[in-house]
Amino acid sequence: MKKILIVDDEPNIVMALEYTFKKNNYQVFIARDGQEALDILKTNYPDVIILDIMMPMVDGYATLEQIKKEDNLKHTKVIFLSAKNKESDIEKGLSLGADAYMTKPFSIKKIVDQVSELLEN
């Protein structure tokens, strides 16, 4: 079973994504901010992380920088899912090492397709 970590402080987004990925036979982990995500990642190594940028405590950029330092997470794919949709935001996210960058509002189907595509590579 593939594992996915959803990191977002917006409950409606978390619930929609959690429901969808569980329905698609993923083991789903949930974090409400970057610090909670980093705590989960000490003991769990998901195949994919869907990561918001604007969150309390530790933002998505800082979270990704920490993820990239962990050998256990080398093969984990990271998708930024953010309302920050300026070209400079997208470039920053990708330059920090995200595998994909999707903007809110989003299509659940497109996210599922993106996750599937990253896992095939």
Side-chain angles (χ1 to χ4, degrees), residues 1 4 6 16-30:
M1 181 180 272
I4 190 162
I6 300 165
L17 292 173
E18 179 183 21
Y19 174 79
T20 301
F21 282 104
K22 280 186 172 172
K23 206 171 72 179
N24 285 298
N25 296 317
Y26 282 80
Q27 183 179 355
V28 179
F29 299 94
I30 303 290

Side-chain angles (χ1 to χ4, degrees), residues 1-88:
M1 181 180 272
K2 294 286 186 190
K3 296 178 186 176
I4 190 162
L5 170 60
I6 300 165
V7 189
D8 201 306
D9 59 335
E10 208 169 299
N12 293 341
I13 289 175
V14 170
M15 285 189 322
L17 292 173
E18 179 183 21
Y19 174 79
T20 301
F21 282 104
K22 280 186 172 172
K23 206 171 72 179
N24 285 298
N25 296 317
Y26 282 80
Q27 183 179 355
V28 179
F29 299 94
I30 303 290
R32 309 267 182 239
D33 61 58
Q35 186 55 58
E36 194 178 342
L38 294 171
D39 291 343
I40 289 170
L41 293 170
K42 288 175 185 166
T43 53
N44 296 286
Y45 310 116
D47 300 287
V48 178
I49 300 171
I50 296 177
L51 183 59
D52 187 15
I53 292 174
M54 294 181 289
M55 297 180 293
M57 310 287 279
V58 181
D59 74 9
Y61 293 137
T63 304
L64 181 59
E65 287 175 338
Q66 291 302 310
I67 290 167
K68 290 297 174 186
K69 292 178 185 172
E70 296 295 324
D71 282 344
N72 296 331
L73 300 171
K74 264 196 190 111
H75 302 292
T76 300
K77 304 291 186 189
V78 179
I79 301 171
F80 268 131
L81 178 62
S82 178
K84 291 172 81 71
N85 59 6
K86 289 192 193 122
E87 194 61 41
S88 59

